[in-house]
Amino acid sequence: MTDIRYLEDLKSFKIDVAHISYVMGIVDKEGFLGHAYFGKHIADDDVSYLMRVFEPPFTPERNERDRLSFYDCFPFEYPTHGIGDFRESAVRIETGSGNYANSLTFKSHRIYDGKEGIQGLPATWGNAADTKTLEITLEDREAGIEAILYYSVFEGIDAVVRHTKIVNKSGKTVYLTKAASASLDMDNRDFDKITLFGSWARERHINRTAVNYGIQGMCSRRGEPGHQEHAFTCLMEKNAGQNNGEVYGIDLVYSGNFRTLTERSQFDQVRLMTGIDPEDFRWELKDGASFETPEAVLVFSAEGLGGMSRTFHDLYREHLIRGYYRDKKRPILINNWEATYFDFNAEKLVNIADCASKLGIEMLVLDDGWFGNRFDDNRALGDWYVNEKKLEGGLKKLAEEVNRRGMKLGLWFEPEMISPDSDLYRAHPDWAVHVQGRRPGLARNQMVLDFTREDVTDYVYSLIKKVLESANIEYVKWDMNRPLSDIGSACLPAERMGEFHHRYVMGVYKLQERLVTDFPKLLLENCSGGGARFDAGMLYYGPQIWCSDDTDAVERLEIQEGTALIYPLSAMGAHVSDCPNHAVGRTTPFETRGHVALSGTFGYELDVTRISEEDRKLIPHQVELYHRFNDLVRTGDYYRIASFSENHAFDCWESVAKDGSEALVTCVNVRKTANVKSRRIKLFGLQENASYRLLNEDGSDFVQTMSEEGKTLYFHGSTLMNAGINIPDTWGDFRSRLIHVKQA
Ligand code: DGJ
């Protein structure tokens, strides 16, 4: 049931969808919009008492002398700055006169089927049959400002997506210095919170801490989310875990500077807020102009973290990701980066393709180094024309050779960058982001192109388009290898420089939109020095994102666990690479690397002509596993069974078909524990009364009991889910196994 109602007599809004309710109320006479409830579905409409409006001493109309006490504890749905709510505000507007106090009260609302897009930004989408939207307009009559709050819900999904539009009707120019996408006040809750932290080659590790008093948050000022922090935060009851307890997840559909924070107040109220990071943000709003924030996604789960993850996965798969490959199995690719780095020529690439095609690999991706004078990573970014010294006959010839071997060809770009040593920089030094008169800091010897400028993005796109039209290129890896610094644009006036970061991200979005519109069957994989831009915004343009430059099977367990907390496995770029691993020097079995990568998009990142014969021989089997299981992995429900990051020994997860008819369980024994014979695991998502067979990846029975030889063993779903099965411990570290659970 999806229902959005305005209850005139109660002056409240109630949103019901799937298993959740979201309730807001308008304070009588005063007109403030307050948050009453978000959580598991509730049957009653009249729950405004939860806002505590009538409890003395806080009722403002009855206690004018303590109006500020009211402001400082009322659960404002979109808190403003400067009037006496001393917690973090969602919006801050500077008027021409230098004031910045605002007060927003209810003006009107609108409820309709479907959902509109957000101008220039990625957002979830839905149609009139499965999506409903509520718009609430708040106004500050004195200041002439409106804030329109948008809420959309999708049939069957325990989530509410929100964003905000600020409209200037003041008759003069104002400056927006803060505009959160969403703010959520919860009452008397002693929560833990999970955030994701990391570094290059170590992205999205899980960090669980208490929500303490005061403000705590994650933010990025790098111009992209970055390897280090992530816009996602979840709040969970103290006793909540993987499969139990109440959990609130919030994520932002955005690829730029963000800030997501929690604030626990003196009254144990918790404010959760997300949006563009205000630090470098200042947006000019002329009279009549408006500003739309990125979209925030709010998920509630009464089934612990797992329930939250599955809701995010469904929402992103069904209402965010678009395009030709959205529901399709992706071609198994082989990428030449770790195979050759910059040391390649056409012959080497064709040899790799030749060997790979015979093993069942379906696409060759030519990574960095095919253009301009790019013999190393010190030069040529921006010179997007083929280096024929390396690629004799150009990309057309390479594509023909690759296609002749039954494979597709993919190509790497880093469109946002410019090397000081490039033809582009020599022609247009002002196209690089820089502060006039100051020498900008380099990273990987490169600078960033000013993507706030349309002449710059038009030029870059014209080159990319020409390359893509010159040969049969069916995949693009869009990379981005440095954060933004020394912010300055030759085209933005001083008073609008605070718009730079957001305009930059919108420039990236605009170009990606052009790309996927002009090449609708192109498979776009986003990437940023590994996984520095793995966010919901990028998923709107391409269905998959390179997860990390660290392809070590052990490090990947933690990275992929953190990533899968929010993003579907269908989006996680994961490859088998050579050992010792190039990022950490660890050697793991080829089988284990395969098993871990099979839970992502799957591919190879090695020189297949040079690995050991023993490893090479395993590739056709891995390819077959991919074809056997990818539908399940891509479309199924994800359950985390054991976490190596918590127990430091054993990792295990499961992908289950939506109808419970089959499951794939991946177990990785990372660290052999002495004298452990087997580990008990319980499965999830099966049908209680159905009978299942457990199979090893070679099709033989995964035997649990002594049985008559040749007699197949069946277990009921109830047994597998409640009693569980034993996974024999392995001899040695880094050993893994797949178990296929199949309904008889
Ligand atoms: C960073 C990416 O994550 C790598 O996969 C590779 O494409 C390099 N950049 C190339 O410079």
Side-chain angles (χ1 to χ4, degrees), residues 62-77:
R62 297 180 208 168
N63 186 6
E64 192 58 48
R65 72 182 286 275
D66 285 319
R67 182 165 275 271
L68 261 57
S69 303
F70 166 78
Y71 288 149
D72 209 19
C73 71
F74 183 69
F76 283 103
E77 184 66 15

Side-chain angles (χ1 to χ4, degrees), residues 282-297:
R282 189 168 189 268
W283 196 273
E284 182 183 86
L285 270 188
K286 289 214 163 25
D287 181 41
S290 60
F291 178 85
E292 282 195 270
T293 70
E295 185 169 73
V297 179

